Amino acid sequence: MATLQKIISKAKDNSNFIYRGCAFEKYDLVPTLARKLKTDISFAQYNIYSDVVKKAAERGYSEVGMNGLADGLSQHYGLSTSYLDWSYSVYVALYFAFSSYIKQFVDENILDQHIDLCKMHCLRDDFNKHKYCIYRLNKTLYDELKNQYPKLPLIVSDTDHKNERMESQQGLLSSIDSTKVNDNAKIQNSQIKILADWLQSNNPDDFLKQSGDKYSWNNETLLEKITFKLSQRDRNDLQKYLKENGAISTKLFPDFEGVKKNIEFSKDYNILRDWEIAYQEAPLNSNFTAPEDLSKMVNGNQNVINSRLNTDNLGEGEFFPFQ
């Protein structure tokens, strides 16, 4: 299990990698469109769906005067596509992993739910022990692999600088060229599995070596999945790191969507603090909290929470306190 500091340190030490952050460790490298379709749909049918979306999007973007390539615009403006987002910035990847989890956690566990003291403690435990993941792909090594095998099914497209969101997020896209996949490939297979299977079938003496969540080629790491947790201290540090490196909503979404996301994420985080969930368990030798204060905490008395508990600090990064 990696730490936040180790992930950032690795990124600083090696600039060859691009990154993709995920809210859950179970998330694989499978595009949204593929996840929504039936498992038995062929790549030929998959292409039909993708082409329909692309042509409709191209017409729409032209009508409203948006700049940029349709594939990247669709991916960055919320359409389900056959692409995956990556970024040259590890901080952008961390932003998406953390902020996506906050939204889903609040939507599923807090809103319209009855929460008593017991459930509050369980939710706090879940929030503190949650496992995220970040993928890192060696772009330099991928380019060498692609140069050696031009028919490689994995395509990594560089930043479309006309796309404002993609530019702000230092974004790239990965996709699968379905005309080059093996016959047994499925649309819901991980992109790295499709790549590894193709290389094994077409060049068995030059395959990707897998060790756990790491794939290597020519004795170098090509792709690695890193699982990590965020303690309260890490969550506080992460806010500062993201702000210092421009990985906040109003920078990554340079339109009113960024303002909206900033307010919504702040609202959700304040809910987690009000319910004593964004909180690190106190050491065993600390003073016990009085029963009357526990009751006030459950009822969302932020003054008592702040004075008695070690809650997450807001206001130094993406999130701001609701007073």
Side-chain angles (χ1 to χ4, degrees):
M1 186 74 61
T3 63
L4 175 65
Q5 286 71 24
K6 185 176 181 180
I7 292 171
I8 293 174
S9 177
K10 267 190 172 184
K12 288 181 177 178
D13 291 342
N14 195 326
S15 61
N16 293 328
F17 286 84
I18 59 176
Y19 302 90
R20 174 175 174 79
C22 300
F24 294 84
E25 65 165 337
K26 65 181 180 181
Y27 282 3
D28 212 337
L29 297 177
V30 181
T32 307
L33 182 60
R35 294 200 303 267
K36 288 185 174 181
L37 299 177
K38 293 182 178 179
T39 57
D40 59 351
I41 286 181
S42 67
F43 266 102
Q45 293 171 298
Y46 187 49
N47 283 342
I48 293 173
Y49 277 97
S50 300
D51 288 343
V52 168
V53 172
K54 182 174 182 177
K55 289 175 181 177
E58 285 175 337
R59 290 194 301 269
Y61 299 138
S62 176
E63 289 174 4
V64 299
M66 292 181 70
N67 296 319
L69 300 174
D71 294 331
L73 289 170
S74 296
Q75 183 69 15
H76 284 85
Y77 283 84
L79 289 177
S80 296
T81 73
S82 56
Y83 295 86
L84 289 175
D85 284 308
W86 297 79
S87 176
Y88 283 107
S89 169
V90 69
Y91 299 103
V92 172
L94 288 166
Y95 162 88
F96 279 107
F98 186 44
S99 60
S100 298
Y101 178 64
I102 290 171
K103 176 173 174 50
Q104 187 164 336
F105 187 93
V106 171
D107 287 350
E108 293 182 354
N109 298 292
I110 309 295
L111 300 184
D112 300 322
Q113 300 290 324
H114 171 70
I115 302 177
D116 56 20
L117 187 60
C118 179
K119 184 172 183 179
M120 182 184 73
H121 282 282
C122 290
L123 290 176
R124 180 203 305 154
D125 193 56
D126 291 343
F127 188 70
N128 278 289
K129 293 182 178 179
H130 178 72
K131 296 179 182 179
Y132 309 79
C133 79
I134 193 167
Y135 287 92
R136 61 186 205 125
L137 172 68
N138 190 327
K139 179 67 163 52
T140 304
L141 190 61
Y142 163 79
D143 289 340
E144 293 177 13
L145 184 62
K146 183 69 173 177
N147 185 60
Q148 184 164 332
Y149 301 107
K151 293 184 178 180
L152 211 66
L154 180 65
I155 300 171
V156 179
S157 306
D158 215 334
T159 311
D160 175 8
H161 296 286
K162 293 183 179 180
N163 181 334
E164 291 186 356
R165 288 190 181 181
M166 196 174 190
E167 169 81 1
S168 299
Q169 296 170 20
Q170 302 179 53
L172 307 90
L173 298 176
S174 68
S175 61
I176 294 295
D177 184 343
S178 60
T179 65
K180 298 174 182 176
V181 300
N182 294 347
D183 292 338
N184 61 346
K186 306 295 184 183
I187 66 168
Q188 293 181 341
N189 284 352
S190 170
Q191 289 186 350
I192 188 62
K193 175 174 171 52
I194 292 174
L195 172 62
D197 289 349
W198 183 91
L199 203 59
Q200 179 71 48
S201 298
N202 290 273
N203 304 278
D205 295 329
D206 193 20
F207 60 92
L208 296 185
K209 182 179 179 181
Q210 182 180 4
S211 176
D213 290 325
K214 181 185 294 187
Y215 288 82
S216 302
W217 182 67
N218 280 356
N219 296 318
E220 290 188 61
T221 298
L222 176 65
L223 182 134
E224 182 180 14
K225 177 183 179 181
I226 302 172
T227 302
F228 64 100
K229 296 179 183 179
L230 290 173
S231 67
Q232 186 213 29
R233 179 176 179 178
D234 283 340
R235 294 195 298 268
N236 290 331
D237 287 344
L238 180 59
Q239 285 194 65
K240 298 176 184 178
Y241 297 152
L242 296 183
K243 184 176 182 179
E244 291 169 356
N245 290 275
I248 58 175
S249 297
T250 49
K251 299 290 187 182
L252 302 182
F253 299 87
D255 46 55
F256 193 76
E257 182 70 15
V259 177
K260 176 174 174 285
K261 285 182 179 294
N262 172 247
I263 294 171
E264 289 179 341
F265 290 151
S266 297
K267 177 196 68 178
D268 287 342
Y269 216 123
N270 275 269
I271 289 173
L272 294 178
R273 293 173 77 237
D274 289 346
W275 279 107
E276 197 198 327
I277 292 169
Y279 156 75
Q280 189 73 19
E281 292 286 2
L284 289 176
N285 61 356
S286 64
N287 294 329
F288 288 103
T289 304
E292 59 270 21
D293 281 346
L294 276 176
S295 176
K296 292 178 182 178
M297 292 174 200
V298 172
N299 290 321
N301 189 318
Q302 192 63 54
N303 290 330
V304 175
I305 293 173
N306 288 339
S307 65
R308 297 291 186 184
L309 300 175
N310 191 23
T311 57
D312 285 18
N313 295 320
L314 304 186
E316 298 188 53
E318 170 74 20
F319 312 107
F320 57 88
F322 282 29
Q323 299 294 351

